[in-house]
Amino acid sequence: MPEIATKSGCVSCHAIDKKMVGPALMDIAKKYKGDATAAAKLDAVIAKGGSGVWGTMPMPANSKLTDAERKELVDFVLGLAK
Ligand code: HEC
């Protein structure tokens, strides 16, 4: 996990290879593999939150993260499928 994920509290709900409160980051990477709009979609979910894609638990918004920090997180997550 990159430090930004630990610092931002992502790790309290996400692990790399197993489902916790949120889906495993590796499963997210696989789901969006080959989707050219994935980076923009996930960036929006991290910023504003999301729900209904993986189950009934919502993903909280992270309004304090900068564009660069969200990009680092999105690149990290999508990179797991490679
Ligand atoms: C309170 C628990 C919680 C925290 C904290 C959390 N998440 Fe999530 N996350 C979830 C849940 C639950 C989902 C599934 C939402 C859904 O079904 O649409 C999710 C979904 C996601 C998705 C997939 C979105 C989609 O539409 O497929 C990504 C990417 C993600 N989280 C990244 C992060 C990152 C990065 C952080 C830290 C900044 C973070 N999450 C913090 C619970 C959390």
Side-chain angles (χ1 to χ4, degrees), residues 16-34:
I16 295 202
D17 56 0
K18 62 176 197 297
K19 184 182 181 311
M20 301 208 316
V21 178
L25 297 180
M26 214 172 245
D27 291 340
I28 298 173
K30 281 192 208 132
K31 180 179 166 80
Y32 293 100
K33 195 169 193 252

Side-chain angles (χ1 to χ4, degrees), residues 2-5 7-8 10 39 42-44 46-47 62-77:
E3 196 194 337
I4 181 73
K7 236 174 46 188
S8 313
C10 316
L42 298 188
D43 183 78
I46 294 172
N62 292 276
S63 51
K64 284 197 226 102
L65 291 175
T66 64
D67 291 356
E69 285 170 335
R70 284 199 314 277
K71 181 171 189 314
E72 190 182 337
L73 288 162
V74 169
D75 287 348
F76 165 69
V77 172

Side-chain angles (χ1 to χ4, degrees), residues 9-10 13-14 21 23 28 32 46 51-55 57-60 62:
C10 316
C13 294
H14 292 283
V21 178
I28 298 173
Y32 293 100
I46 294 172
S51 63
V53 179
W54 295 84
M57 267 296 293
M59 152 90 191
N62 292 276

